[in-house]
Amino acid sequence: MTTYPTLKMLIDGEWIATGHGGSMAVVNPATGAEIGQCPKASPAQLDAALKAADDAFAGWSRTPGAERYAILRRAADLLRERAPAIAAVITAEMGKPRAQAVGEITGSTDVIDFLGEEAKRKGGRLIPSRGQQLIAQMVTHEPVGPSVLLTPWNFPVNLPAKKIAGALAAGCTAILKPAENTPASAQLLVECFVDAGVPKGVLNLVYGDPGPVSEHLIASPVTRKVSFTGSTAVGKQLGALAASHMKRFTPELGGHAPVIVSRHADLERAVAMCAATKFRNAGQVCVSPTRFLVDKTIYDRFVAEFAERTGKLKVGDPGADDSVDMGPLAHGRRIAAMEQVVADVGGNRGEVVTGGAVIPGKGFFFQPTVIANPAPDSRFMTEEPFGPIAGIVPYDTIEDAVRIANSLRYGLAAYAFSGNLDEAHYLGRALRAGMVGINQLIVASPETPFGGVGDSGFGSEGGEEGYLAFTDTKLVMMAKAGG
Ligand code: NAD
């Protein structure tokens, strides 16, 4: 039985259960039942969080990197210890199967460790000077200042963990506003940082309606940096607002990842990996492999095997049954979005080979779905589905496949399977994306940069880039004091 915590905001070191902006219900997407009431911050409470982050910045930014590391390391250890309980809350809030939720948390502890260590490792650089009077040209990375972190519901621990760890490791203070439907996952993460010894005001947590809260926080003169993960449409709005106030902005937005399967690929291995990975987290993953572009000579076999594997997936309430492969979608809006994609299929616009319908009953369940040969201008081929729908398209030449892969404005992840070395290198170079996976479908690790190009955003979150994203570059040029 999952214990759902009382939801509280964290403002200047105080846990606050009363939102002066009202409250909103949190619903389990597998059952449709209300599991909690989430307080909504009023503008005055948001201002209190901003003031706390501002006041705490001087002390935290001067805290030695080794001390910041020690606190983050303890937070990661606490998160590891608490993983089973937090995983159950992730499952209850957004419907991810338990094993995937535990994997998300384990990955988050590694990210916090890595970014914490960057606080000890990251120096600046010394550049040789041109004149004899100049004795030092020093480049340092200064914490940018109080940062606003806006995170979605699909990885409700991992995405806040990346942003909090990057900000705090770099010496920034932060205000986290998690998604409306996954507040407890974020709260339990924040508790790990507080219990690890993060000083009051350094990390604040607020809840509320995303539009007004984000606008209030971004517009404040206190805020120096905004880090947002979510849809391209919202990212563009928030980016325009951040730019109008000259704030640093890192958007990690949507994607519609192509997967090229060449005639030189190990077909069995490729199809097994693709069918398993596509439906992880019910396809609600920004780097989810989605547009499968398959050499026409192996297309029929690929479609048949992909559909067969997809049809065998066990869908159900992951809170009640640990053996389900796929849970519900996170909320009702996702169901409507899936129905729109499928409604556009038919005639020469593609064929639903398996799935394609809502699963009746309680909760937001949609069948794992495969569409064969969707038309180039279909909704599926042009808009990010962000759900359990895969589309498979045959191609004639590898250059055609690359052209189709690169035809959208998104550019987050792209994948390719090929056993031909020259072709694999060609694909690695030619695919337009922030991250390319060759012969495998993983593009994220704590040590490596994670981010997109085009309408998928800019900047990176993982690796050393995830630390540097919260810093300004500063140059000190020093000359001799006299003759
Ligand atoms: P949505 O746009 O309503 O919400 C997605 C997220 O954005 C939520 O966390 C929400 O809190 C936040 N949000 C919404 N409006 C906002 C605003 N005006 N200001 C600040 N934050 C705001 O869509 P949805 O149906 O919940 O999710 C599906 C869409 O979201 C997809 O298009 C997908 O691209 C995107 N999404 C992307 C990621 C990602 O990892 N890049 C994660 C989750 C959702």
Side-chain angles (χ1 to χ4, degrees):
M1 182 71 189
T2 306
T3 312
Y4 194 76
T6 302
L7 291 166
K8 294 178 183 166
M9 298 185 284
L10 178 69
I11 298 175
D12 202 15
E14 298 290 321
W15 287 104
I16 297 168
T18 306
H20 295 151
S23 70
M24 53 193 171
V26 183
V27 167
N28 180 331
T31 62
E34 181 177 318
I35 51 177
Q37 277 289 329
C38 183
K40 295 194 327 192
S42 64
Q45 288 177 310
L46 296 178
D47 286 340
L50 286 160
K51 181 172 185 317
D54 200 21
D55 290 348
F57 178 64
W60 183 248
S61 58
R62 282 198 297 265
T63 301
E67 282 179 38
R68 297 201 299 266
Y69 157 75
I71 293 175
L72 294 190
R73 176 63 210 250
R74 276 199 296 278
D77 287 342
L78 290 172
L79 186 59
R80 256 178 221 109
E81 274 170 42
R82 300 175 188 178
I86 300 177
V89 169
I90 293 179
T91 299
E93 283 192 326
M94 56 73 64
K96 182 175 293 188
R98 195 84 52 110
Q100 291 179 28
V102 170
E104 174 180 345
I105 295 169
T106 307
S108 306
T109 63
D110 294 342
V111 166
I112 298 168
D113 278 345
F114 176 82
L115 288 167
E117 285 159 4
E118 286 293 88
K120 290 189 295 181
R121 274 193 297 252
K122 269 275 155 300
R125 68 190 203 275
L126 213 51
I127 300 174
S129 62
R130 287 179 166 237
Q132 292 197 350
Q133 291 302 312
L134 273 179
I135 52 175
Q137 302 187 113
M138 295 176 288
V139 179
T140 57
H141 303 294
E142 304 293 319
V144 62
S147 299
V148 167
L149 316 177
L150 305 169
T151 55
W153 42 262
N154 58 337
F155 288 90
V157 166
N158 185 268
L159 294 172
K162 269 187 192 172
K163 293 185 199 293
I164 293 171
L168 268 51
C172 296
T173 55
I175 302 169
L176 171 67
K177 201 287 292 167
E180 316 72 89
N181 45 338
T182 54
S185 302
Q187 180 173 313
L188 295 174
L189 170 71
V190 167
E191 269 177 29
C192 294
F193 285 93
V194 172
D195 295 348
V198 168
K200 84 181 178 93
V202 169
L203 177 58
N204 303 274
L205 171 67
V206 296
Y207 306 126
D209 294 327
V213 170
S214 306
E215 282 161 29
H216 190 102
L217 293 174
I218 294 171
S220 164
V222 167
T223 300
R224 298 310 319 152
K225 156 95 193 184
V226 181
S227 180
F228 170 75
T229 299
S231 66
T232 297
V234 174
K236 285 181 178 175
Q237 280 171 31
L238 299 184
L241 185 61
S244 74
H245 293 277
M246 202 50 78
K247 308 284 168 79
R248 293 276 298 274
F249 183 59
T250 302
E252 200 272 276
L253 309 176
H256 197 347
V259 185
I260 295 177
V261 185
S262 144
R263 68 180 71 192
H264 302 295
D266 177 338
L267 180 62
E268 292 302 320
R269 183 172 168 273
V271 79
M273 273 190 177
C274 290
T277 308
K278 167 64 226 170
F279 300 99
R280 192 170 65 93
N281 208 15
Q284 301 166 122
V285 182
C286 53
V287 294
S288 184
T290 299
R291 289 181 292 144
F292 295 88
L293 313 174
V294 181
D295 188 288
K296 64 180 182 212
T297 59
I298 52 172
Y299 172 77
D300 289 339
R301 264 180 69 200
F302 188 91
V303 172
E305 291 188 28
F306 195 108
E308 191 191 338
R309 287 174 181 274
T310 302
K312 287 183 183 156
L313 292 173
K314 183 172 176 186
V315 182
D317 177 357
D321 179 355
D322 270 347
S323 71
V324 302
D325 298 306
M326 195 180 102
L329 304 195
H331 51 62
R333 290 195 302 278
R334 300 309 322 141
I335 292 284
M338 296 309 103
E339 287 183 313
Q340 282 175 0
V341 172
V342 171
D344 189 43
V345 176
N348 60 3
R349 299 185 67 72
E351 177 198 351
V352 174
V353 189
T354 185
V358 173
I359 300 174
K362 289 183 188 160
F364 310 121
F365 290 94
F366 198 87
Q367 294 171 334
T369 297
V370 177
I371 303 172
N373 211 2
D377 65 344
S378 62
R379 195 182 268 265
F380 174 83
M381 286 300 278
T382 52
E383 292 175 22
E384 177 188 31
F386 212 68
I389 304 186
I392 310 176
V393 175
Y395 70 79
D396 288 322
T397 66
I398 199 77
E399 290 77 18
D400 286 340
V402 169
R403 186 185 45 74
I404 301 168
N406 290 348
S407 63
L408 301 186
R409 294 177 65 88
Y410 296 112
L412 191 56
Y415 309 93
F417 287 84
S418 174
N420 177 305
L421 192 61
D422 286 349
E423 191 177 73
H425 278 290
Y426 162 69
L427 290 166
R429 282 194 308 273
L431 286 167
R432 194 183 61 89
M435 298 166 286
V436 178
I438 304 281
N439 292 321
Q440 52 88 31
L441 296 167
I442 296 171
V443 287
S445 83
E447 295 81 16
T448 51
F450 186 99
V453 299
D455 271 9
S456 295
F458 48 81
S460 300
E461 295 224 289
E464 67 169 339
E465 287 85 350
Y467 175 98
L468 293 173
F470 289 94
T471 64
D472 283 328
T473 301
K474 182 174 184 180
L475 169 69
V476 177
M477 280 176 111
M478 199 178 293
K480 287 181 187 165

